[in-house]
Amino acid sequence: MFGKRLALTALVFCFSLLILGGTDALAARGGGGGGPKSVPSAAPLTLVVLDSADGLAHWDQQVTFTVSTTATTEPHVSLKCSQNGVLVYATQTGYYAGYLWPWTQVMSLSSVAWTGGSADCVATLYYFSGASVVSLGTLSFVAYP
């Protein structure tokens, strides 16, 4: 019983660390070359707004991404949104068939720290290569009020 509780606590801690820390903490440690790696040609990353009347992203609405890359079979997307330079939303998810939490591919643009107003958002397409995080490109957009 204690072993299961310890394992569950460790899993929750690790997942929370990824959610709160984003990929920056992983990218900062690099892979023997000082920082995150970049692939010369960025793979396409397209914003898909799911419930907007005007086709634009807005606070408290849902978005997802269309990902297309041949660099990996397990691409991930990190999304971070800031208001006046303060991080108010951060999440990441995998965009591949075997991803264990596919419902996280639909992201709701709100959080406890983001209760309204517009925010500047940056989505980063990346994948893991051993202990390294390889960035494939970024997409910036504004989430309107």
Side-chain angles (χ1 to χ4, degrees):
M1 180 70 175
F2 178 74
K4 287 182 182 180
R5 180 173 286 152
L6 181 62
L8 181 59
T9 302
L11 179 63
V12 169
F13 174 78
C14 291
F15 190 73
S16 298
L17 181 62
L18 284 175
I19 294 296
L20 296 175
T23 58
D24 291 343
L26 293 172
R29 65 183 274 202
K37 298 179 183 177
S38 295
V39 173
S41 59
L45 177 63
T46 306
L47 176 68
V48 179
V49 182
L50 298 177
D51 52 359
S52 175
D54 62 4
L56 299 173
H58 291 272
W59 171 80
D60 205 30
Q61 290 184 340
Q62 294 181 323
V63 298
T64 189
F65 296 90
T66 301
V67 173
S68 176
T69 180
T70 57
T72 181
T73 58
E74 296 184 351
H76 291 76
V77 173
S78 166
L79 177 60
K80 295 182 180 183
C81 298
S82 301
Q83 291 180 315
N84 300 317
V86 176
L87 183 68
V88 293
Y89 181 81
T91 190
Q92 56 272 328
T93 189
Y95 278 85
Y96 53 93
Y99 189 66
L100 296 177
W101 304 279
W103 60 89
T104 62
Q105 294 171 352
V106 175
M107 303 168 186
S108 297
L109 299 177
S110 64
S111 71
V112 173
W114 185 11
T115 58
S118 63
D120 297 312
C121 300
V122 178
T124 303
L125 178 63
Y126 67 95
Y127 69 94
F128 297 101
S129 177
S132 298
V133 176
V134 181
S135 178
L136 296 171
T138 61
L139 172 70
S140 298
F141 64 94
V142 173
Y144 295 95

